[in-house]
Amino acid sequence: MQTASFTGFIETIFYILAFYYIFRFLAKLLLPLLVKKVVQKAGENFQQQQQRSQDTSWNQTQNKDEAIFNTGNSKKPRETKKVGDYVDYEEID
């Protein structure tokens, strides 16, 4: 059975403090680099998604083989739905 000693306690406190300060020092050095890498990777992913989105929308518009015929014989012109009137509001002070 071991007994606790004052020197062992001081040594443990010293190791804890040393680990804490070394961790803080390394975090100040390495965390900005890590954050920079993460932001850069997120930017690249965003650009790739935008590029894919643009490519697919462009391909969809190019691949449409749709013909619209305007016939003069149509008896009923299309009616547009009237949802409501636009009301312009003014603020009263």
Side-chain angles (χ1 to χ4, degrees):
M1 182 173 182
Q2 294 181 348
T3 59
S5 66
F6 184 70
T7 57
F9 177 71
I10 296 297
E11 188 176 328
T12 303
I13 296 295
F14 172 74
Y15 284 132
I16 290 172
L17 288 175
F19 176 76
Y20 173 73
Y21 283 111
I22 290 171
F23 181 75
R24 275 187 53 191
F25 177 73
L26 290 177
K28 283 183 181 180
L29 289 177
L30 299 178
L31 235 50
L33 296 175
L34 181 66
V35 169
K36 184 178 177 181
K37 287 275 189 185
V38 168
V39 169
Q40 187 178 18
K41 186 68 173 171
E44 288 174 3
N45 287 341
F46 179 73
Q47 286 179 351
Q48 287 175 355
Q49 286 177 348
Q50 288 293 97
Q51 187 65 34
R52 276 189 246 126
S53 174
Q54 271 184 340
D55 289 345
T56 57
S57 66
W58 178 256
N59 288 338
Q60 286 175 354
T61 57
Q62 293 297 319
N63 291 337
K64 284 186 180 178
D65 294 331
E66 198 174 299
I68 299 173
F69 296 102
N70 187 8
T71 59
N73 295 337
S74 61
K75 294 179 183 177
K76 261 190 191 177
R78 290 187 181 174
E79 294 181 16
T80 58
K81 292 184 180 180
K82 289 189 177 181
V83 179
D85 294 330
Y86 176 75
V87 178
D88 190 19
Y89 291 101
E90 294 182 12
E91 290 186 24
I92 300 174
D93 292 327

